Amino acid sequence: MRKTLIATTIASALLLSACSENKSETQTMAKESAAQVQDVNASNVLFKPSPLQYMAPEFDKFGTKDYEAVFDAGIAEHTTQIQAIANNPEPATFKNTLVEMELSGELLNRVSTAFYNLSGLISDDEYQRISKKMAPVLSAHSDDIYLNGALFERVQTIYDNQAALSAEDQRLVDFYYKQFVKAGAKLSDEEKAKMREINAQLANLSTAFSQNVLKSFKEDVIVVTDKSKLAGLSEGEIAGLAAAAKKAGKEGYMITLVNTTQQPILSSLENRELREQIFTASANRAAQTNGPIIIEETNLRAQKAELLGYKDWASYVMTSRMAQTTENVYGILDDLAPKAVEKAKIEAAAIQKVINDSGENFELKPWDWAFYAEKVRAEKYDLDPALVKPYFEMSSVINDGLFFAMNKLYGITFKERQDLPVYHEDVTVYEVFNADGSAIGLFYMDPYAREGKRGGAWMSAYVSQSGLKGTKPVIYNAQNIPKPAEGEPTLMTFDEVSTMFHEFGHAAHGLFSDVKYPSLAGTATARDFVEFPSQAHEDWMIEPSVLANYARHYKTGEPIPQALLDKVLASQKFNQGFGTTEYLAAALLDMEWHSFGSDKKINDVQEFENAALKAHGIDYYPVPPRYKSNYFSHTFAGGYSAGYYAYLWTEVFAADAFAHMENNGGLTRENGDNFRKEILSKGNSRDLMQSYIEFRGQKPTTDALLKRRGLVE
């Protein structure tokens, strides 16, 4: 059995630090300690590739006790590999430098992937402790790579002599060169030292921000003891709140917040006092803990940008975005803002009329919007949401809706794999096959909300596709659908169904990847492109043949009545003024937080927010930002800094693409195969706009987006 790097390191440390006068005794103790470490590591499955099919993680064989040893060994191993590449006496070539870098760090990648995926899915105090510990360590390791002068010299040589390489190889050269330059490879030694200091601080702050938000999900709950205050909820929903309270050791009914400012439960609750209490808790959560972090983090980001020669962080970020400049981003956001606010004010007037007509005497507030908007929707479309949910039972949505649509579009099929371990009982695993029966990879579905799981919905990979490494993708989707009381069906809202289709769009991007190099594969694209494939999948949920197959009453099996379906579909453009305004407000906040220099002094987060929204004419009190700064994880912990605009940017592509497919036959294999070939399979292996042009025949226009959002007729 081979002694692991971590075992060797610990044994050496013991030898160096021993203080015994008996040398042989000291050596014996050191050998015994090293042997013990070796034995422990031998049972740690993360030290070697998983023997399961597709290298699926052995979730049942590792836990928090195993991570740190593998992190240490992985960093040591990767450091050795990188130094060997950097100090190779042979002239720099694409193969002996960049290909070797792509192949390096396997152990570190395996433990990082397992840890950071699971820390967002089943987090506890131990996950948070390790995350906090590793943040500066991994930041320093990254700096050791990208600030390595000898290694950058090799990259520069390849970059300057890339003409004879293939197009995909040149794409990898360009990727690495830009990564090194953006990381500070051209800085002086003094500047590099400053960069390391800033990166370490940013890593700590980002981790602290994320952990504060996660903590707020657990602590900022609303407990109701008087059942009458829950009027408007169904008995099933009330039972779910009671079960949540009981599980948390509380008496009564526990309402847990979701990650957005507005809370879904507000659309049903009749008690205005409780609605205000919930909204206030949502809007103010993590303000005290994350306020100082935001101010420090944005200042450090500004310092980092200036160190690299940019006027602000947003300008620095745009160097790897499709938007290219902050002016382009502000242009599209500011162009839509007045249209959105105007539409929202029209919607607000209709809501205020319903309030007045009901005999109430109060001005519309943010916590009233969802509740009375539903009344306007019901009146305008004669639609009761409670009559809709029974037709969206989750197993039917997944098997007869999502999987059915993906089969029609791409010819793929799904087979449940109960033989593979999972990290939680709510998770289901599927093996995915092409139409010819060949295997694609694995797909894990994790639909329910629970303590320790971060808010929102997302996709990620445990194993990414790579032609170079010969790996097939192991992908998962996570959502936060409230889990019903035991024995009750999971009845989904229209929005939850839409989110499920959206997230599988990301999954398809990972599953269908057909790229040689890991750094360019799957969803490893620009932030303002990666949301395009996911958004392009949303509308398949309402394609007539798909709806007919899954939108059936969970008790009777009867299809959703056409009249009810027509009302549901017609109502989707309702409240788009609100939806667009809250999104734009968040996107503009994100940009404003990153559009100033390090000399700007900010003392109060709320004052900054108010001024930023007012400057763009989107400070409309009844419609607050979708995320206020103190829990805006996308920008302060999730990699979307100066990038939240991407959802709108990519919706232009998605709306244009779907309109194109609709005009050319709709849900057909021809459309699906073309989208898979030109978009989903290519990852970042070629210019992203060129991929779109290859699929569509031209660049996208905003026409379909404006119609989709109901901002034009």
Side-chain angles (χ1 to χ4, degrees):
M1 186 181 297
R2 180 174 66 89
K3 183 180 287 188
T4 64
L5 284 169
I6 186 62
T8 304
T9 302
I10 292 176
S12 300
L14 286 168
L15 285 169
L16 290 170
S17 63
C19 299
S20 170
E21 293 182 2
N22 187 327
K23 186 176 180 181
S24 61
E25 181 182 342
T26 300
Q27 291 176 334
T28 300
M29 290 173 60
K31 289 179 180 178
E32 290 176 351
S33 297
Q36 290 172 0
V37 172
Q38 184 176 348
D39 289 341
V40 170
N41 291 345
S43 64
N44 186 336
V45 299
L46 291 173
F47 270 105
K48 55 186 181 299
S50 169
L52 300 180
Q53 191 177 14
Y54 308 109
M55 293 193 291
E58 297 178 276
F59 293 115
D60 55 337
K61 294 184 179 179
F62 67 86
T64 50
K65 64 179 175 56
D66 300 306
Y67 292 123
E68 290 170 277
V70 192
F71 268 123
D72 290 342
I75 290 172
E77 179 186 79
H78 196 207
T79 298
T80 300
Q81 292 167 339
I82 291 297
Q83 288 176 346
I85 296 169
N87 299 325
N88 186 345
E90 297 294 325
T93 66
F94 179 81
K95 184 176 181 180
N96 71 16
T97 302
L98 299 189
V99 172
E100 287 301 313
M101 287 184 70
E102 287 290 278
L103 292 170
S104 69
E106 180 184 346
L107 182 59
L108 180 57
N109 180 66
R110 183 161 60 248
V111 66
S112 297
T113 301
F115 176 79
Y116 286 105
N117 279 329
L118 292 175
S119 67
L121 295 163
I122 53 172
S123 183
D124 57 17
D125 291 343
E126 189 65 359
Y127 268 103
Q128 293 183 50
R129 181 192 67 78
I130 298 170
S131 181
K132 185 175 182 179
K133 173 187 174 181
M134 293 308 304
V137 175
L138 290 171
S139 174
H141 179 61
S142 178
D143 287 338
D144 287 342
I145 296 171
Y146 289 107
L147 299 181
N148 184 315
L151 185 58
F152 179 61
E153 282 185 22
R154 298 180 71 84
V155 173
Q156 181 78 63
T157 298
I158 299 164
Y159 181 79
D160 292 339
N161 298 277
Q162 61 177 292
L165 298 175
S166 70
E168 187 171 353
D169 288 357
Q170 288 187 38
R171 186 75 172 172
L172 187 68
V173 173
D174 187 64
F175 167 80
Y176 268 110
Y177 180 77
K178 288 180 178 177
Q179 287 287 99
F180 272 88
V181 172
K182 286 188 66 177
K186 291 187 174 183
L187 298 177
S188 67
D189 288 344
E190 182 180 350
E191 290 170 329
K192 286 181 179 179
K194 179 63 176 177
M195 180 66 74
R196 287 176 179 274
E197 180 184 335
I198 290 173
N199 286 342
Q201 291 176 279
L202 285 172
N204 284 328
L205 291 169
S206 176
T207 300
F209 185 98
S210 180
Q211 292 187 354
N212 288 336
V213 172
L214 194 61
K215 184 179 180 182
S216 78
F217 284 122
K218 184 176 181 179
E219 297 183 353
D220 295 329
V221 297
I222 297 88
V223 178
V224 178
T225 55
D226 183 355
K227 184 179 178 181
S228 67
K229 289 186 176 181
L230 300 176
L233 301 183
S234 68
E235 284 301 319
E237 289 169 328
I238 293 173
L241 299 181
K246 183 177 181 181
K247 186 174 181 180
K250 301 179 185 296
E251 294 290 332
Y253 309 87
M254 189 174 80
I255 299 169
T256 304
L257 300 175
V258 301
N259 59 332
T260 51
T261 300
Q262 290 287 7
Q263 301 296 304
I265 200 171
L266 295 178
S267 65
S268 302
L269 287 172
E270 297 175 6
N271 188 293
R272 189 170 190 245
E273 182 181 343
L274 180 57
R275 291 202 307 270
E276 182 178 1
Q277 180 185 354
I278 294 169
F279 176 85
T280 302
S282 174
N284 294 328
R285 64 192 134 135
Q288 296 302 312
T289 53
N290 278 345
I293 290 175
I294 291 166
I295 293 172
E296 186 177 1
E297 190 171 347
T298 51
N299 178 266
L300 285 169
R301 284 174 173 172
Q303 288 184 47
K304 180 174 178 176
E306 289 165 359
L307 197 58
L308 292 165
Y310 298 91
K311 65 177 182 177
D312 52 46
W313 180 259
S315 299
Y316 164 73
V317 166
M318 292 304 146
T319 60
S320 58
R321 299 288 187 263
M322 293 187 75
Q324 297 183 326
T325 68
T326 58
E327 289 76 16
N328 287 340
V329 175
Y330 279 118
I332 191 172
L333 298 179
D334 284 332
D335 180 58
L336 283 174
K339 299 182 180 73
V341 173
E342 180 183 1
K343 185 81 170 179
K345 288 181 177 179
I346 293 172
E347 293 166 358
I351 291 172
Q352 188 67 57
K353 183 177 184 302
V354 169
I355 294 172
N356 297 342
D357 290 348
S358 68
E360 300 284 356
N361 185 27
F362 58 80
E363 184 180 353
L364 172 65
K365 302 292 184 184
W367 50 88
D368 299 316
W369 190 291
F371 182 74
Y372 286 97
E374 285 305 317
K375 291 186 178 297
V376 174
R377 189 199 302 265
E379 180 180 305
K380 184 173 183 179
Y381 301 102
D382 188 25
L383 179 63
D384 181 356
L387 298 178
V388 178
K389 288 179 70 173
Y391 293 95
F392 294 141
E393 189 274 323
M394 190 169 73
S395 63
S396 180
V397 171
I398 294 172
N399 294 291
D400 303 325
L402 178 63
F403 291 173
F404 172 82
M406 296 305 100
N407 175 259
K408 294 297 182 184
L409 196 60
Y410 304 117
I412 60 175
T413 54
F414 300 78
K415 176 185 177 183
E416 186 173 345
R417 291 287 301 271
Q418 296 184 352
D419 59 313
L420 293 173
V422 293
Y423 53 86
H424 193 276
E425 62 183 7
D426 291 340
V427 179
T428 305
V429 191
Y430 302 90
E431 189 171 6
V432 189
F433 298 92
N434 284 308
D436 63 4
S438 60
I440 297 174
L442 294 176
F443 172 63
Y444 292 65
M445 175 70 83
D446 183 356
Y448 293 119
R450 58 176 172 270
E451 186 177 321
K453 188 178 185 181
R454 67 181 174 90
W458 67 97
M459 162 270 181
S460 192
Y462 286 104
V463 180
S464 296
Q465 178 273 332
S466 168
L468 180 67
K469 294 184 175 182
T471 54
K472 291 185 180 294
V474 178
I475 306 294
Y476 76 87
N477 277 171
Q479 278 187 250
N480 272 278
I481 299 168
K483 191 171 185 178
E486 188 174 353
E488 294 295 318
T490 303
L491 304 181
M492 300 173 66
T493 66
F494 193 90
D495 285 345
E496 287 167 345
V497 177
S498 178
T499 298
M500 185 167 282
F501 274 73
H502 173 103
E503 293 305 331
F504 192 83
H506 285 306
H509 204 177
L511 287 166
F512 292 153
S513 177
D514 187 15
V515 175
K516 183 175 182 179
Y517 302 113
S519 292
L520 305 178
T523 58
T525 68
R527 288 287 186 186
D528 51 5
F529 185 85
V530 75
E531 294 296 335
F532 157 45
S534 54
Q535 290 175 327
H537 279 75
E538 291 177 23
D539 287 336
W540 294 120
M541 70 171 282
I542 57 174
E543 200 278 337
S545 65
V546 177
L547 269 171
N549 202 58
Y550 79 92
R552 295 176 174 274
H553 197 284
Y554 77 99
K555 286 184 177 179
T556 66
E558 291 296 315
I560 187 170
Q562 189 61 47
L564 179 59
L565 177 59
D566 290 343
K567 293 174 185 177
V568 172
L569 298 180
S571 72
Q572 289 313 296
K573 289 184 180 179
F574 172 74
N575 217 32
Q576 281 296 311
F578 173 92
T580 307
T581 299
E582 68 161 2
Y583 166 78
L584 290 172
L588 284 162
L589 272 182
D590 170 44
M591 289 298 295
E592 285 291 337
W593 274 117
H594 299 103
S595 296
F596 53 75
S598 62
D599 58 342
K600 185 178 180 67
K601 302 302 178 186
I602 299 170
N603 298 313
D604 186 274
V605 170
Q606 189 58 57
E607 286 182 6
F608 181 89
E609 278 194 5
N610 294 342
L613 296 176
K614 185 175 182 179
H616 293 278
I618 203 163
D619 54 334
Y620 185 44
Y621 177 67
V623 186
R626 183 173 297 175
Y627 301 97
K628 290 174 66 65
S629 302
N630 39 294
Y631 46 89
F632 201 168
S633 295
H634 286 78
T635 191
F636 296 113
Y640 273 80
S641 58
Y644 190 64
Y645 75 89
Y647 288 93
L648 181 65
W649 183 274
T650 54
E651 193 177 349
V652 172
F653 287 77
D656 186 75
F658 190 79
H660 171 70
M661 286 190 276
E662 270 197 315
N663 293 333
N664 288 274
L667 187 69
T668 66
R669 279 293 304 279
E670 183 178 0
N671 278 329
D673 289 347
N674 187 33
F675 193 71
R676 176 176 179 174
K677 175 186 175 184
E678 303 297 351
I679 303 294
L680 300 177
S681 73
K682 297 300 182 185
N684 193 30
S685 62
R686 70 179 176 194
D687 178 76
L688 298 172
M689 183 61 80
Q690 188 59 41
S691 286
Y692 190 81
I693 292 172
E694 292 296 327
F695 160 72
R696 175 72 169 86
Q698 64 179 55
K699 292 183 178 181
T701 71
T702 60
D703 297 345
L705 170 65
L706 294 174
K707 292 179 181 178
R708 183 179 187 172
R709 284 188 170 258
L711 299 179
V712 299
E713 295 299 329

